[in-house]
Amino acid sequence: MTESIKTSDAWETIRWPQVQRNVYRLQQRIYRASQQGETDKVQSLQRLLLKSWSALVLAVRRVTQENEGKKTAGIDGIHSLKPAERIQLAKEIALDRSAAPVRRVLIPKPGKSEYRKLGIPTMRDRAKQALAKLALEPQWEALFEPNSYGFRPGRSPQDAIEQVHRCISQQPKWVLDADIAACFDQISHGPLVAQLSSSHPSIARQCRAWLKAGVLQDGRIQATEKGTPQGGNASPLLANIALHGLETTVKMAFKGAHLVRFADDFVVLHTSLDTIVKAKSLISQWLKDRGLELKEEKTRITHTLDGGPDYSTGFDFLGYQVRQYRTPRRRMNKSQRPYKTLIKPSSTSLKRLVQTLNDTVKRHRTSSQNALIEALNPIILGWAHYHRSNSASRTFAYLDSVVYWQLKRWAKRRHPNKSQAWVKARYWHTVGERNWVFGVKQSGKITRKLVKFSDVSIQRHIKVRGTKSWYDGDWVYWATRRGCHPMTGFRHAALLKRQKGRCPICRSVFDIQDSLEQDHIWPQAREGKDGYDNLQLVHRTCHHQKTEWDRKGHCPIHPWRGDLDRRGVV
């Protein structure tokens, strides 16, 4: 840690890349010590991290500037801090076993009469939770099971879906599609605190204080004897810790069983129906010991190909429908299986989206076209990018049609006395080779246009490696996968992601031990520009070879233009 960072009293002068590198180095050491089972070393490094000025200011920054709920106040009424107040908070926060009650907010669940109980901590407690999470997360990332994907850095719902596809692609299987009833609200405090015994004592004591802090609702403080309140920075991590061991228990009890979990939603897959029934009983008992139970109305047994008269076929998981279909014999060849696996957006997710789009258009009945487009674009892009990794082309085309008719009704309502041709010319335009583009036209130019679901191309998601962790130090892998990493510069990370982790000269995959250098595709001596379009990341030895080719005025291979092996390395 540099002295300039430690003694800085001005928030604006903090060098955040250096802060993130300082914190990441300690987290990486915690991860490795936890991997090797060195509990004393883990606790020593956690104590060092908790007192680090870099960790303190980073924790404050995350709760006051980065988190989406940063402007939601707890019982202290504080929803924003000035730069000087952030510095003061960083100097004052410490895991001192004190915690203020959380403010209870009831959020209605979409399409249901139930409510999600959200607990909003005070700004000081949020900063303390962010600080504790910086020390706690790398320790548990070394321990978590490989097929746990929810609320973990570098993992996503698409990874869980891809793992499900791998489990059923070779053979149809029976499925236990399960959901834990009110997981966050029912977790027993005793087993959870016992799980934290391997962490630094101050973290365990502080987590216990948060769990027992109480809830302020309707002007009264209610004691909390169970559950971890949703809304805190550390709550998702604590829930993952509480559910740690479920996959191992199932795999040890039943050979050939697979469990894929995302937060409190999980599926168990096996070729035998009897094994699935026994697994349900075992899981129910395992959860009961932790104060949890399966939600019967959402827990069911299905089959991926043919459930017969007693069981349904296919299941919904994380907004996707997973199902297998028999392939007609006339369409089969010797290399094909007699069935195919199809994963597409679920009907429930589709109906919810259509309702959201309809409500958005209705709310903007009197708004300008520009405001309507600004409201719809994030919804369309977010949903399309979430589902782009599977069979969604037909769904995207259907949704484009739905949006068109919604917008047509919106435009006709605004101009009931105008002809259809006039309305079309007013709101829909031709852009290049595309007709019927809903956009704002000013001075003969399209200044803003509505995106279409079909504009988002279908791209197969490459599953994260089961043994990889954000804290393992392999910055080449994570920069290639995510386009960012604390231990590498933005330009290096962007080039790694664009090149899919491969050297364009020798076409081999980059490794953490390789020496990498930036190279100009067209040399600057030949009017090559110093921009991203003219840069590539290569091995040092390949760079020397490329320089020799440039000197001679010819290159035996075509320079990189984004046409690398589409399989990638992640």
Side-chain angles (χ1 to χ4, degrees):
M1 185 186 306
T2 60
E3 188 66 22
S4 59
I5 292 178
K6 186 174 182 179
T7 58
S8 175
D9 287 329
W11 188 264
E12 297 82 357
T13 62
I14 296 177
R15 295 179 293 172
W16 293 110
Q18 182 64 42
V19 165
Q20 292 174 332
R21 284 193 291 271
N22 290 340
V23 173
Y24 182 82
R25 288 191 186 99
L26 280 174
Q27 289 178 321
Q28 183 180 344
R29 293 172 64 188
I30 293 172
Y31 173 84
R32 290 176 177 172
S34 179
Q35 232 181 3
Q36 297 168 5
E38 301 175 352
T39 304
D40 292 341
K41 187 174 181 180
V42 168
Q43 295 183 4
S44 176
L45 291 169
Q46 286 178 331
R47 181 174 63 252
L48 185 62
L49 180 62
L50 294 175
K51 296 182 179 296
S52 164
W53 177 248
S54 294
L56 294 171
V57 294
L58 185 60
V60 172
R61 185 194 190 196
R62 287 187 173 173
V63 300
T64 59
Q65 293 184 285
E66 295 180 0
N67 288 1
E68 293 183 2
K70 58 182 179 291
K71 293 187 177 180
T72 305
I75 64 172
D76 57 353
I78 299 175
H79 57 80
S80 63
L81 295 177
K82 297 179 180 179
E85 294 172 330
R86 296 174 199 151
I87 287 288
Q88 186 62 31
L89 178 60
K91 293 179 178 179
E92 294 175 354
I93 60 172
L95 305 188
D96 51 6
R97 287 185 281 181
S98 64
V102 299
R103 181 170 69 89
R104 171 68 53 81
V105 178
L106 300 179
I107 306 295
K109 294 184 177 180
K112 302 178 183 178
S113 58
E114 302 175 357
Y115 289 87
R116 179 174 286 106
K117 298 177 182 178
L118 201 64
I120 310 299
T122 63
M123 188 66 73
R124 182 177 296 272
D125 278 334
R126 273 182 260 180
K128 290 161 68 174
Q129 287 190 26
L131 178 63
K133 185 179 178 181
L134 289 176
L136 199 60
E137 191 170 60
Q139 175 196 0
W140 281 92
E141 276 296 311
L143 305 175
F144 281 145
E145 294 152 323
N147 292 315
S148 165
Y149 298 97
F151 305 121
R152 293 181 60 187
R155 296 177 176 238
S156 66
Q158 287 73 24
D159 292 315
I161 292 296
E162 184 63 25
Q163 177 62 23
V164 170
H165 182 272
R166 292 186 180 188
C167 292
I168 66 176
S169 61
Q170 301 297 324
Q171 186 179 9
K173 292 182 179 178
W174 289 94
V175 182
L176 172 64
D177 180 14
D179 183 30
I180 302 174
C183 178
F184 282 86
D185 300 326
Q186 300 296 326
I187 292 176
S188 179
H189 290 172
L192 176 56
V193 174
Q195 288 269 61
L196 296 170
S197 60
S198 61
S199 305
H200 192 273
S202 64
I203 299 178
R205 289 192 292 262
Q206 185 64 63
C207 288
R208 181 179 179 84
W210 285 323
L211 295 173
K212 300 292 185 181
V215 175
L216 178 64
Q217 185 176 5
D218 300 329
R220 294 183 299 175
I221 296 180
Q222 304 174 3
T224 49
E225 299 300 330
K226 57 183 179 179
T228 171
Q230 301 181 59
N233 300 76
S235 295
L237 176 59
L238 294 178
N240 267 336
I241 294 174
L243 296 175
H244 174 64
L246 179 60
E247 180 183 351
T248 303
T249 300
V250 171
K251 284 189 172 183
M252 290 181 64
F254 308 105
K255 184 178 180 180
H258 298 275
L259 187 144
V260 181
R261 181 174 67 86
F262 188 92
D264 57 342
D265 293 336
F266 63 91
V267 292
V268 182
L269 306 104
H270 197 273
T271 55
S272 169
L273 174 60
D274 184 55
T275 299
I276 290 294
V277 174
K278 292 180 180 178
K280 182 180 178 182
S281 177
L282 174 66
I283 291 171
S284 297
Q285 183 59 46
W286 190 91
L287 293 174
K288 185 177 180 181
D289 296 339
R290 288 153 181 80
L292 302 170
E293 61 180 1
L294 293 176
K295 195 171 186 176
E296 289 299 330
E297 57 268 27
K298 282 191 174 183
T299 301
R300 59 181 188 147
I301 296 177
T302 68
H303 193 265
T304 58
L305 181 62
D306 185 8
D310 299 327
Y311 298 96
S312 57
T313 303
F315 63 97
D316 291 350
F317 187 49
L318 302 178
Y320 294 90
Q321 182 192 63
V322 183
R323 185 173 176 176
Q324 292 175 314
Y325 298 86
R326 296 192 184 279
T327 304
R329 288 187 176 275
R330 65 181 182 275
R331 297 183 181 179
M332 289 175 55
N333 55 42
K334 294 182 179 179
S335 62
Q336 283 184 318
R337 295 186 180 87
Y339 59 87
K340 64 177 181 179
T341 302
L342 187 63
I343 300 178
K344 61 182 182 179
S346 67
S347 58
T348 303
S349 177
L350 197 60
K351 291 178 182 178
R352 188 180 302 147
L353 173 68
V354 172
Q355 186 62 45
T356 301
L357 292 170
N358 193 45
D359 293 342
T360 304
V361 173
K362 284 184 177 180
R363 283 199 308 270
H364 291 78
R365 284 178 294 186
T366 59
S367 303
S368 64
Q369 184 185 16
N370 190 73
L372 176 60
I373 293 175
E374 190 174 352
L376 287 176
N377 275 349
I379 300 174
I380 294 173
L381 287 175
W383 199 90
H385 278 94
Y386 183 86
H387 290 280
R388 71 184 301 181
S389 60
N390 289 284
S391 304
S393 298
R394 292 185 179 180
T395 304
F396 285 178
Y398 163 74
L399 289 172
D400 285 334
S401 176
V402 169
V403 172
Y404 165 75
W405 288 106
Q406 290 177 343
L407 294 177
K408 189 173 182 179
R409 287 193 298 269
W410 174 87
K412 189 63 179 175
R413 181 185 180 278
R414 294 168 68 91
H415 307 283
N417 299 324
K418 297 292 184 179
S419 66
Q420 182 175 346
W422 186 94
V423 172
K424 190 264 182 185
R426 173 70 173 79
Y427 294 106
W428 281 269
H429 313 283
T430 299
V431 179
E433 298 180 355
R434 290 181 52 182
N435 298 321
W436 292 91
V437 176
F438 189 78
V440 179
K441 195 171 187 179
Q442 295 178 349
S443 303
K445 295 182 179 181
I446 304 297
T447 57
R448 185 184 291 271
K449 64 179 181 179
L450 183 74
V451 297
K452 291 187 175 183
F453 287 91
S454 53
D455 290 340
V456 179
S457 60
I458 303 299
Q459 292 184 3
R460 181 67 180 270
H461 179 77
I462 301 172
K463 179 184 171 294
V464 66
R465 297 176 192 167
T467 57
K468 298 301 293 183
S469 170
W470 177 252
Y471 302 105
D472 61 9
D474 192 351
W475 60 267
V476 172
Y477 176 83
W478 290 107
T480 300
R481 186 173 179 84
R482 301 185 64 184
C484 64
H485 195 273
M487 301 307 291
T488 185
F490 178 79
R491 176 172 284 191
H492 263 56
L495 293 175
L496 279 169
K497 185 174 179 64
R498 187 178 69 176
Q499 297 174 199
K500 298 187 179 353
R502 289 181 180 269
C503 175
I505 306 297
C506 65
R507 300 284 173 164
S508 62
V509 177
F510 288 128
D511 186 77
I512 187 64
Q513 306 297 333
D514 294 337
S515 298
L516 310 183
E517 295 182 353
Q518 289 184 19
D519 171 61
H520 291 85
I521 299 174
W522 305 111
Q524 289 181 306
R526 299 182 183 178
E527 299 182 355
K529 297 181 180 179
D530 190 27
Y532 277 100
D533 292 339
N534 193 44
L535 285 176
Q536 59 185 359
L537 208 60
V538 298
H539 293 108
R540 179 177 294 175
T541 53
C542 294
H543 194 190
H544 295 163
Q545 191 175 22
K546 170 72 162 43
T547 302
E548 183 65 18
W549 290 336
D550 291 338
R551 188 180 64 81
K552 293 180 178 179
H554 70 278
C555 181
I557 64 172
H558 198 281
W560 180 83
R561 288 185 179 177
D563 57 347
L564 288 177
D565 187 352
R566 292 181 60 84
R567 293 173 299 176
V569 295
V570 295

